Amino acid sequence: MKVAFAGTPAFAAVALQALHDAGHEVVLVLTQPDRPAGRGLKLQASPVKQLALTLGLPVAQPRSLRLDGKFADDAAAVRQRLLAAAPQVMVVAAYGLILPTWALALPALGCINIHGSLLPRWRGAAPIHRAIEAGDTHTGITIMQMDAGLDTGDMWLAASEPIWPDDTTGGLHDRLAALGARLVVQVLARLGDTRAPLPDAGPGLHRRAQPGQGVTYAHKVEKAEAVLDWQQPAAQLERRLRAFDPFPGCHAQLEVQGTQQELKVWRGRCVAAQGRPGERLPSGPEQLLIACGQDALELLEVQAPGARRLSVADYLRRLPAPG
C-alpha cells in the first residue's frame, strides 16, 4: 500500500520501521522541524527524520499544515508533495501538528492514528503520563480513523497493556510503541479487504464509534506540575514520579544536613507515617522520609544539579560532613 507517514518522536519511529519492514511503500514522511537540543543547543533531527533518512525515504518538515496560517507556504508545498505522491492512506503517530481538513481528506482511505490509550479514555497529548499518574491498572493502543475532533474518530482496532506498579512512562512508552506498530500493520493489511479477519475483532475489520461514556482528557504535561506538592497524598506523588520519568522529572526543595537542597526526585515509595507536610521525618542515616498530606514518601533515587541520578543512600554518603 502507498502510505504517507506523519510522526516525530521515538514512539512514531517504531511504527515507521514496522510499516517499512511490512513492505508498504512509504511515499512521504512528515515530521516536525529540527529543534535545538543538548547543552550546545545544536539543531537535532527528530527520531522519525533520522530513521527516514536511514531508510532512504523522502522527508518534509513543514512548520504548519494550515493553508491560511503564518506558514502557508510550508503547508502549500507539502500539500503539493502529497498530491504528487498520491498515498492511499496516511498513518499518524505523535506528529505534534494538527491535521486540517484538507490533509484528513487527501488520502483515499483517510488518516489512521496510533493513539496510546484505550479510547475514549485519555484523549489528548499525554495519555501515557496521565494513565500512570491516575493509577490506572491497564491502558493500551487504539488504531483510530481521524476526524476533525481531538481523538474522537471511529476505532478500527484496540489492544490492552497492563500498567505494572513500578512502571515509568519511559518503560510503558516502549511497550506501547511496539504494540502500536504491530496493530497498525495488521489494520493496513486488511483495509483494502474488509473480509479478511482481524485477531480479536470478530470476523472482519469493523469500524466502530467510540463509546459515549468514559471520556477523559490527557492534558499536556507542564513543567510547573513537576514541583512536588507535599500537601498531596504520598501515593499520588509516587505515581507522579513514575509518570514524569524520564520527562520532565519531579523536583523539590529539601532540608538536608541543615541546608536547603534543590533535588530532582526520580523514585520513591509510600510509608505509613505522619507529620507536617514537607517535614523530613526521623529515619535511618541513609534515608530521606518526607511527610505528605497523607502518609509519607521515602525518596529512593535523587539527582542534584549538574550530577547524575543516585540512590538516596549514595547521595547522602557523598555529602560533605556538616559543620
Side-chain angles (χ1 to χ4, degrees):
M1 184 177 290
K2 293 178 69 174
V3 178
F5 186 86
T8 298
F11 181 90
V14 176
L16 177 59
Q17 182 71 62
L19 292 171
H20 179 269
D21 293 347
H24 293 287
E25 181 186 358
V26 182
V27 295
L28 186 62
V29 173
L30 277 60
T31 191
Q32 290 211 36
D34 298 358
R35 306 289 191 201
R39 291 187 177 180
L41 295 180
K42 294 181 179 180
L43 288 179
Q44 182 171 313
S46 72
V48 163
K49 179 181 178 180
Q50 294 176 44
L51 176 60
L53 295 178
T54 299
L55 298 175
L57 303 175
V59 174
Q61 296 178 273
R63 290 166 290 181
S64 170
L65 294 177
R66 288 184 53 186
L67 294 170
D68 59 350
K70 180 179 179 181
F71 302 109
D73 289 348
D74 281 23
V78 80
R79 182 173 182 271
Q80 288 304 311
R81 291 187 68 179
L82 283 168
L83 287 168
Q88 295 167 273
V89 68
M90 182 184 293
V91 173
V92 182
Y95 179 32
L97 293 181
I98 294 174
L99 269 60
T101 303
W102 71 260
L104 295 172
L106 190 147
L109 295 174
C111 297
I112 305 295
N113 180 247
I114 307 170
H115 186 77
S117 80
L118 295 175
L119 292 170
R121 186 163 178 80
W122 302 126
R123 294 173 178 171
I128 302 176
H129 300 78
R130 299 308 182 188
I132 292 177
E133 186 181 26
D136 291 0
T137 59
H138 69 281
T139 184
I141 289 288
T142 304
I143 308 298
M144 177 193 72
Q145 187 77 31
M146 296 179 70
D147 61 16
L150 176 63
D151 299 327
T152 55
D154 292 349
M155 303 182 295
W156 287 110
L157 187 62
S160 180
E161 176 68 24
I163 300 177
W164 304 113
D166 60 348
D167 260 333
T168 65
T169 285
L172 182 56
H173 164 281
D174 292 350
R175 300 204 308 274
L176 290 177
L179 177 60
R182 292 196 301 271
L183 293 187
V184 78
V185 168
Q186 290 180 18
V187 169
L188 290 195
R190 294 159 176 84
L191 268 180
D193 181 5
T194 56
R195 295 169 300 174
L198 259 180
D200 304 320
L205 177 59
H206 298 292
R207 177 171 167 171
R208 60 195 187 280
Q210 293 186 33
Q213 302 296 319
V215 176
T216 59
Y217 288 92
H219 299 288
K220 180 181 177 181
V221 173
E222 302 291 347
K223 286 189 177 181
E225 298 179 76
V227 181
L228 292 175
D229 179 1
W230 302 113
Q231 300 288 339
Q232 296 179 350
Q236 184 172 334
L237 294 181
E238 188 276 335
R239 293 195 302 267
R240 180 164 291 190
L241 294 181
R242 293 186 289 109
F244 287 15
D245 183 356
F247 179 84
C250 293
H251 59 91
Q253 286 276 350
L254 295 170
E255 184 177 332
V256 182
Q257 293 189 349
T259 62
Q260 289 292 316
Q261 303 279 341
E262 175 74 22
L263 292 177
K264 272 200 166 185
V265 182
W266 291 108
R267 288 196 305 123
R269 65 178 166 221
C270 300
V271 175
Q274 297 298 323
R276 178 171 46 84
E279 173 188 10
R280 182 178 175 183
L281 299 177
S283 58
E286 296 184 349
Q287 290 179 296
L288 286 175
L289 186 63
I290 311 299
C292 302
Q294 180 180 334
D295 296 323
L297 188 70
E298 182 184 356
L299 311 190
L300 300 177
E301 187 176 34
V302 296
Q303 183 177 12
R308 60 187 179 89
R309 292 165 64 152
L310 294 170
S311 70
V312 164
D314 284 344
Y315 165 73
L316 292 174
R317 280 196 293 265
R318 293 178 185 213
L319 290 176

